[in-house]
Coordinates of all heavy atoms in Angstrom, one line a residue:
S52 N -1.3 36.9 -32.1 CA -2.5 36.1 -32.5 C -3.1 35.5 -31.2 O -2.4 35.0 -30.4 CB -2.1 35.1 -33.5 OG -1.2 34.2 -33.0
K64 N -3.3 11.1 -21.7 CA -2.6 9.8 -22.2 C -2.7 8.8 -21.1 O -2.2 9.1 -20.0 CB -1.2 10.1 -22.6 CG -0.5 8.9 -23.2 CD 1.0 9.3 -23.6 CE 1.7 8.1 -24.2 NZ 3.1 8.5 -24.6
R72 N 7.9 -8.5 -12.7 CA 8.5 -9.8 -13.0 C 8.5 -10.8 -11.9 O 8.3 -12.0 -12.1 CB 10.0 -9.6 -13.5 CG 10.1 -8.9 -14.9 CD 11.5 -8.8 -15.2 NE 12.2 -7.8 -14.3 CZ 13.5 -7.5 -14.4 NH1 14.3 -8.1 -15.4 NH2 14.1 -6.7 -13.6
N83 N 1.8 -30.5 2.4 CA 1.7 -30.4 3.9 C 1.4 -29.0 4.4 O 1.5 -28.7 5.6 CB 3.0 -30.9 4.6 CG 4.2 -30.1 4.1 OD1 4.2 -29.3 3.2 ND2 5.3 -30.3 4.8
V146 N 7.0 -21.0 2.3 CA 8.3 -21.6 2.6 C 8.6 -21.7 4.0 O 9.2 -22.7 4.5 CB 9.5 -20.9 1.8 CG1 10.8 -21.5 2.1 CG2 9.2 -20.9 0.3
S175 N 29.3 -12.0 25.1 CA 30.4 -11.3 25.7 C 31.1 -10.6 24.6 O 31.8 -11.3 23.8 CB 31.3 -12.3 26.4 OG 30.7 -13.0 27.5
G230 N 34.1 -7.7 15.7 CA 32.6 -7.4 15.9 C 31.8 -8.6 15.5 O 32.3 -9.7 15.4
E236 N 28.6 -12.0 5.1 CA 28.8 -10.6 5.0 C 30.3 -10.3 4.7 O 31.2 -11.0 5.2 CB 28.4 -9.8 6.3 CG 28.7 -8.3 6.2 CD 28.3 -7.7 7.5 OE1 27.9 -8.4 8.5 OE2 28.4 -6.4 7.6
R240 N 37.6 -3.5 4.4 CA 38.6 -3.2 5.3 C 39.3 -1.9 4.9 O 39.4 -1.5 3.7 CB 39.6 -4.3 5.4 CG 39.1 -5.6 5.8 CD 38.6 -5.7 7.2 NE 39.7 -5.7 8.1 CZ 40.3 -6.8 8.5 NH1 39.9 -8.0 8.1 NH2 41.3 -6.7 9.4

Side-chain angles (χ1 to χ4, degrees):
S52 60
K64 185 178 180 181
R72 290 179 294 178
N83 58 353
V146 175
S175 298
E236 181 180 2
R240 304 290 289 271

